Amino acid sequence: MHKVVTVDLEKDILAENRRIADENRALLDKHNVVAFDFLGAIGSGKTLIIEKLIDLLKARGKRSAAIAGDVSGDDDYQRFVSHGMPAANINTGKECHLDAHLVDHALEGLPLDKIDYLFIENVGNLVCPVDFPLGSHKRVVVISVTEGDDMVRKHPAIFAFSDVIIINKVDLAQVMEVDPKILERDARRSNPGAKIIMMDARHGKGIDELAKALGL
Amino acid sequence: MHKVVTVDLEKDILAENRRIADENRALLDKHNVVAFDFLGAIGSGKTLIIEKLIDLLKARGKRSAAIAGDVSGDDDYQRFVSHGMPAANINTGKECHLDAHLVDHALEGLPLDKIDYLFIENVGNLVCPVDFPLGSHKRVVVISVTEGDDMVRKHPAIFAFSDVIIINKVDLAQVMEVDPKILERDARRSNPGAKIIMMDARHGKGIDELAKALGL
């Protein structure tokens, strides 16, 4: 009995999220802001990759803002702020993903007329964000070789949901005894149309390729 | 309106989970099986640590079984089976955690009279499992230095929820430029009573200490 009611409610919640995501997209488009949603496990390197893109865009005279989504704390938000750009921090409390409504509120506090790009960093895991589009123009999922070579097989949905798939920390593949080619093969199976990028964000490898894939 | 209804339903679901978790515990106790629930991010090393404990127990003449919880696939289940022991695979589909009801079903298929220990590997993330006790006797949370030094601050609840906290892959701390002492300090703050173990599971470091902490 409970189960039936829950499923119906879930449908309502997902439909409502999609409606607000569409509104977010319309608001971004109105202000000529292009938004990217970064997904991926905790520690996969999402924040650093966004920081590298922001610096690259700054060197080109483009202005960015960021939304940091975390269960708790403001570590990532402080990192974004240190780049001298507008940022918003969303703590989800117990929720394991951002939703369009939370992003809607964050957008209200950002100077959309003064930025060209918005980077949204979702809560770090490969499960929950799948059902909740936020209104961004492209989704990027980041995994790291340090997570093992079974990562993609265990979470096919989030790879199918993303436009760009980053396999990060490839410089550590040998010491981790992980073959990035297995991750690449599984990612290709989950999403034949996605752009897959081998990256070592710490040393800058793959950032230019990512910028190109995102149309920057 | 939806929100209110959802909250009430959530309360019901959590209460029902606790009730079944208590039943699971009673069933395990009846059969003199001690159960451990392993939590932690994807790729943190949960499966390998369980495998090491199983081998250690086998050398002592003790019999184990395992339940592998994943969104999709049977990679971890196959690893457990390869140790020649009873195992169950639970695919949660879209859910980001095991619950007591899923474990209850898995228990039905395991030879509880023929085992001494049960290892339950939860779905890999640091958010969702917190509200869903499974009936295990102790909870172990595993993090890895490869996830960065802000890991604990971002997810204090799961550390407060666990009896043993493992900081794994300490052999990679230097190459990752991560200070395990920061993780240890934050873990201590989240849970002053927990046992904290520095581990390099791949090379066997810390396994004996963990066995002792679990009363094995």
Side-chain angles (χ1 to χ4, degrees), chain A residues 2 5-6 9 12-13 41-43 47 70-73 75-76 79 94-96 123 125-128 131 146-147 150-151 153-156 169 172 175-177 202, chain B residues 2 5-6 9 12-13 41-43 47 70-73 75-76 79 94-96 123 125-128 131 146-147 150-151 153-156 169 172 175-177 202:
Chain A
H2 272 155
V5 180
T6 310
L9 268 178
D12 287 349
I13 290 167
I42 194 84
T47 315
D70 265 308
V71 171
S72 173
D75 283 82
D76 296 343
R79 283 171 66 177
K94 296 188 122 182
E95 290 300 324
C96 50
V123 178
N125 70 82
L126 292 167
V127 187
C128 316
D131 284 327
T146 61
E147 296 158 12
D150 50 7
M151 200 52 39
R153 288 195 298 279
K154 286 182 173 178
H155 308 86
K169 306 189 192 178
L172 298 174
V175 64
M176 295 303 301
E177 297 167 19
R202 206 163 35 141
Chain B
H2 273 156
V5 181
T6 311
L9 268 179
D12 286 349
I13 290 168
I42 193 85
T47 314
D70 265 309
V71 171
S72 174
D75 284 81
D76 296 344
R79 282 171 67 175
K94 295 189 121 179
E95 288 300 323
C96 50
V123 179
N125 70 82
L126 292 166
V127 187
C128 315
D131 285 326
T146 61
E147 296 159 11
D150 49 8
M151 201 51 39
R153 288 196 298 280
K154 285 182 174 179
H155 308 88
K169 307 189 191 177
L172 298 174
V175 64
M176 295 303 302
E177 298 166 20
R202 207 162 36 141

Side-chain angles (χ1 to χ4, degrees), chain B residues 69-138:
Chain B
D70 265 309
V71 171
S72 174
D74 67 351
D75 284 81
D76 296 344
Y77 168 74
Q78 294 296 350
R79 282 171 67 175
F80 293 134
V81 166
S82 75
H83 289 257
M85 66 178 191
N89 194 39
I90 300 178
N91 278 161
T92 58
K94 295 189 121 179
E95 288 300 323
C96 50
H97 59 87
L98 292 178
D99 61 39
H101 188 61
L102 289 168
V103 169
D104 172 26
H105 277 299
L107 291 177
E108 286 172 14
L110 290 173
L112 296 181
D113 276 334
K114 295 183 180 160
I115 60 170
D116 304 295
Y117 296 102
L118 173 66
F119 295 90
I120 305 171
E121 183 175 344
N122 218 310
V123 179
N125 70 82
L126 292 166
V127 187
C128 315
V130 170
D131 285 326
F132 293 87
L134 305 177
S136 65
H137 294 82
K138 279 194 176 168

Side-chain angles (χ1 to χ4, degrees), chain A:
Chain A
M1 183 57 190
H2 272 155
K3 198 151 196 174
V4 175
V5 180
T6 310
V7 169
D8 283 343
L9 268 178
E10 191 179 300
K11 273 190 196 155
D12 287 349
I13 290 167
L14 296 183
E16 177 71 357
N17 182 79
R18 273 194 300 276
R19 192 186 61 75
I20 301 174
D22 290 343
E23 285 180 7
N24 289 347
R25 172 76 78 96
L27 181 69
L28 291 163
D29 286 342
K30 189 180 143 197
H31 292 272
N32 292 313
V33 174
V34 178
F36 305 108
D37 180 11
F38 277 67
L39 317 159
I42 194 84
S44 57
K46 297 184 294 300
T47 315
L48 183 62
I49 293 169
I50 294 173
E51 288 179 290
K52 297 269 181 184
L53 287 176
I54 286 162
D55 287 346
L56 177 147
L57 288 166
K58 200 193 278 181
R60 297 181 187 172
K62 298 290 186 184
R63 298 151 305 178
S64 305
I67 297 175
D70 265 308
V71 171
S72 173
D74 66 351
D75 283 82
D76 296 343
Y77 168 74
Q78 293 297 349
R79 283 171 66 177
F80 293 134
V81 166
S82 75
H83 289 257
M85 67 178 189
N89 193 40
I90 301 178
N91 279 163
T92 58
K94 296 188 122 182
E95 290 300 324
C96 50
H97 59 87
L98 292 178
D99 62 40
H101 188 61
L102 290 168
V103 169
D104 172 27
H105 277 301
L107 290 178
E108 286 171 13
L110 290 173
L112 297 181
D113 276 335
K114 295 183 180 160
I115 60 170
D116 304 296
Y117 295 102
L118 173 66
F119 295 90
I120 305 172
E121 183 175 343
N122 218 311
V123 178
N125 70 82
L126 292 167
V127 187
C128 316
V130 171
D131 284 327
F132 293 87
L134 305 177
S136 65
H137 294 81
K138 280 195 174 165
R139 284 189 284 262
V140 182
V141 61
V142 184
I143 53 168
S144 151
V145 298
T146 61
E147 296 158 12
D149 67 14
D150 50 7
M151 200 52 39
V152 181
R153 288 195 298 279
K154 286 182 173 178
H155 308 86
I158 203 159
F159 294 90
F161 179 71
S162 298
D163 304 289
V164 178
I165 298 168
I166 295 174
I167 299 171
N168 194 22
K169 306 189 192 178
V170 289
D171 55 315
L172 298 174
Q174 205 165 359
V175 64
M176 295 303 301
E177 297 167 19
V178 165
D179 182 359
K181 291 247 170 298
I182 295 176
L183 291 164
E184 187 180 15
R185 181 202 63 192
D186 292 341
R188 177 63 61 220
R189 279 182 191 161
S190 291
N191 191 338
K195 172 78 182 166
I196 301 176
I197 298 173
M198 295 288 178
M199 187 173 284
D200 166 12
R202 206 163 35 141
H203 304 106
K205 181 180 176 302
I207 297 292
D208 285 339
E209 199 183 344
L210 172 60
K212 209 172 150 189
L214 296 177
L216 304 179

